[in-house]
Short mmCIF file of all heavy atoms in Angstrom, two decimals:
data_model
loop_
_atom_site.label_atom_id
_atom_site.label_comp_id
_atom_site.label_asym_id
_atom_site.label_seq_id
_atom_site.Cartn_x
_atom_site.Cartn_y
_atom_site.Cartn_z
N LEU A 82 -2.13 -6.75 -0.64
CA LEU A 82 -2.87 -6.74 0.64
C LEU A 82 -3.99 -7.69 0.56
O LEU A 82 -4.90 -7.70 -0.45
CB LEU A 82 -3.53 -5.31 0.74
CG LEU A 82 -3.97 -4.87 2.22
CD1 LEU A 82 -2.67 -4.76 3.06
CD2 LEU A 82 -4.60 -3.50 2.22
N PRO A 83 -4.28 -8.58 1.61
CA PRO A 83 -5.40 -9.52 1.44
C PRO A 83 -6.64 -8.75 1.79
O PRO A 83 -6.90 -8.10 2.73
CB PRO A 83 -5.00 -10.54 2.62
CG PRO A 83 -4.09 -9.86 3.53
CD PRO A 83 -3.48 -8.76 2.75
N PHE A 84 -7.71 -9.18 0.88
CA PHE A 84 -9.05 -8.59 1.06
C PHE A 84 -9.92 -9.76 1.26
O PHE A 84 -9.81 -10.82 0.80
CB PHE A 84 -9.39 -7.84 -0.21
CG PHE A 84 -8.77 -6.54 -0.37
CD1 PHE A 84 -7.61 -6.34 -0.94
CD2 PHE A 84 -9.43 -5.30 0.12
CE1 PHE A 84 -6.93 -5.13 -1.09
CE2 PHE A 84 -8.86 -4.08 -0.01
CZ PHE A 84 -7.60 -3.94 -0.65
N ASP A 85 -10.99 -9.40 2.04
CA ASP A 85 -12.05 -10.41 2.30
C ASP A 85 -13.34 -9.81 1.95
O ASP A 85 -13.89 -8.95 2.72
CB ASP A 85 -11.99 -10.90 3.79
CG ASP A 85 -13.02 -11.94 4.13
OD1 ASP A 85 -13.53 -12.68 3.23
OD2 ASP A 85 -13.31 -12.04 5.26
N ARG A 86 -13.94 -10.14 0.84
CA ARG A 86 -15.18 -9.53 0.44
C ARG A 86 -15.15 -8.06 0.44
O ARG A 86 -15.85 -7.33 1.08
CB ARG A 86 -16.34 -10.04 1.35
CG ARG A 86 -16.64 -11.46 1.26
CD ARG A 86 -17.90 -11.91 1.89
NE ARG A 86 -17.99 -13.29 1.77
CZ ARG A 86 -18.95 -13.93 2.38
NH1 ARG A 86 -19.80 -13.37 3.13
NH2 ARG A 86 -18.98 -15.17 2.24
N HIS A 87 -14.14 -7.58 -0.39
CA HIS A 87 -13.93 -6.07 -0.53
C HIS A 87 -13.61 -5.39 0.83
O HIS A 87 -13.50 -4.16 0.74
CB HIS A 87 -15.15 -5.48 -1.25
CG HIS A 87 -15.65 -6.14 -2.33
ND1 HIS A 87 -14.81 -6.07 -3.51
CD2 HIS A 87 -16.66 -6.87 -2.73
CE1 HIS A 87 -15.40 -6.87 -4.59
NE2 HIS A 87 -16.62 -7.28 -4.02
N ARG A 88 -13.17 -6.03 1.83
CA ARG A 88 -12.70 -5.42 2.96
C ARG A 88 -11.30 -5.95 3.30
O ARG A 88 -11.02 -7.05 2.97
CB ARG A 88 -13.58 -5.71 4.26
CG ARG A 88 -14.90 -4.69 4.19
CD ARG A 88 -15.70 -5.19 5.45
NE ARG A 88 -16.52 -6.27 4.98
CZ ARG A 88 -16.97 -7.14 5.89
NH1 ARG A 88 -16.80 -6.98 7.21
NH2 ARG A 88 -17.73 -8.09 5.55
N VAL A 89 -10.53 -5.13 3.89
CA VAL A 89 -9.15 -5.56 4.20
C VAL A 89 -9.26 -6.69 5.23
O VAL A 89 -9.99 -6.50 6.28
CB VAL A 89 -8.32 -4.29 4.75
CG1 VAL A 89 -6.93 -4.82 5.25
CG2 VAL A 89 -8.18 -3.27 3.72
N ALA A 90 -8.58 -7.68 5.00
CA ALA A 90 -8.62 -8.88 5.81
C ALA A 90 -7.75 -8.65 7.14
O ALA A 90 -6.89 -7.72 7.07
CB ALA A 90 -8.21 -10.11 5.18
N SER A 91 -7.93 -9.43 8.16
CA SER A 91 -7.21 -9.26 9.38
C SER A 91 -5.70 -9.56 9.12
O SER A 91 -4.82 -9.12 9.95
CB SER A 91 -7.85 -10.07 10.50
OG SER A 91 -7.73 -11.45 10.13
N GLU A 92 -5.36 -10.36 8.13
CA GLU A 92 -4.02 -10.79 7.92
C GLU A 92 -3.13 -9.59 7.31
O GLU A 92 -1.93 -9.79 6.98
CB GLU A 92 -3.90 -11.94 7.02
CG GLU A 92 -4.52 -13.19 7.48
CD GLU A 92 -5.98 -13.28 7.24
OE1 GLU A 92 -6.43 -12.72 6.17
OE2 GLU A 92 -6.66 -13.90 8.03
N ALA A 93 -3.70 -8.41 7.02
CA ALA A 93 -3.00 -7.30 6.42
C ALA A 93 -2.13 -6.52 7.26
O ALA A 93 -1.42 -5.61 6.84
CB ALA A 93 -4.16 -6.34 5.94
#
Side-chain angles (χ1 to χ4, degrees):
L82 198 68
F84 286 87
D85 180 22
R86 295 187 183 177
H87 305 292
R88 283 180 277 156
V89 177
S91 57
E92 299 87 31

